[in-house]
Amino acid sequence: MQRQPWEDPEYIKYTLWFVFACIIYSIIGFTWGALMGGIHEFRHFVDHRMHGNLIVRAHTHINLLGWVEMAIFAAVYYIVPRLVQRPIYSLKLVKWHFWIHNFGLIGMVVFFTTAGVAGGIASEHVSPAEVEAIVKPWLATMGIFGSMVLLANFIWAYNLFRTCSNRDKG
């Protein structure tokens, strides 16, 4: 029996990696949320310390860009080639999408969290202006990683658009 174009083992592997990433990020996000809600000192820190809310943003991004988006990417990568009856436009772009998105998301979470912890601790000892000076470079670095996630989303959209509109392939 002839293999369908979307049954390429490498394509299946990367589609499943999106599923696995979704699972890992969901466990991290759910655990993080439970800890924030269940440990009084942690909850107080994120609610009452200057920039402590950045830790909540890190948690939010793990859930949205990790758990939710990875699930959507996996589902769409699975469904679209079957709908249009041809392979994905570029397996190379699928791979780039996966790695850039994950690297960017992990960077965002690390630097959001670092900024929140540094700002929260510093707010007990220095002026608000000094806290801002401490947090600002961490947030600027986080923005670079956030731009990587945005780039990965554009790669995904371009690859899907080309898959759906390219009549010459497949």
Side-chain angles (χ1 to χ4, degrees):
M1 187 168 165
Q2 185 177 3
R3 180 185 292 171
Q4 295 297 324
W6 52 84
E7 293 175 330
D8 175 90
E10 190 77 356
Y11 183 70
I12 292 169
K13 178 176 87 172
Y14 269 85
T15 302
L16 287 172
W17 282 8
F18 279 97
V19 173
F20 298 146
C22 161
I23 294 166
I24 291 165
Y25 288 129
S26 70
I27 297 301
I28 293 168
F30 300 159
T31 303
W32 191 332
L35 292 173
M36 275 194 311
I39 299 173
H40 174 73
E41 293 80 8
F42 192 2
R43 176 41 86 221
H44 183 75
F45 187 92
V46 299
D47 284 345
H48 301 290
R49 294 279 185 96
M50 190 171 179
H51 295 292
N53 66 332
L54 294 174
I55 298 168
V56 176
R57 287 189 190 169
H59 165 254
T60 302
H61 281 79
I62 278 281
N63 281 322
L64 181 60
L65 301 180
W67 170 45
V68 176
E69 266 198 337
M70 289 294 172
I72 291 169
F73 296 147
V76 172
Y77 278 138
Y78 179 83
I79 294 167
V80 166
R82 287 161 177 79
L83 285 174
V84 297
Q85 295 290 300
R86 64 180 160 274
I88 197 76
Y89 172 74
S90 171
L91 178 57
K92 187 175 186 176
L93 289 178
V94 172
K95 293 175 181 182
W96 277 97
H97 171 218
F98 180 83
W99 292 111
I100 292 171
H101 187 95
N102 280 286
F103 187 69
L105 175 56
I106 291 167
M108 286 180 71
V109 170
V110 165
F111 287 101
F112 260 139
T113 303
T114 302
V117 170
I121 291 171
S123 69
E124 291 289 299
H125 308 289
V126 298
S127 71
E130 291 171 302
V131 173
E132 292 299 327
I134 291 168
V135 169
K136 189 174 183 177
W138 295 111
L139 290 179
T141 307
M142 185 284 309
I144 294 167
F145 284 97
S147 297
M148 292 176 70
V149 172
L150 181 61
L151 172 63
N153 287 346
F154 282 130
I155 290 169
W156 175 71
Y158 174 80
N159 205 10
L160 287 171
F161 177 80
R162 291 300 304 262
T163 300
C164 293
S165 64
N166 188 356
R167 302 293 178 210
D168 299 322
K169 284 221 169 201

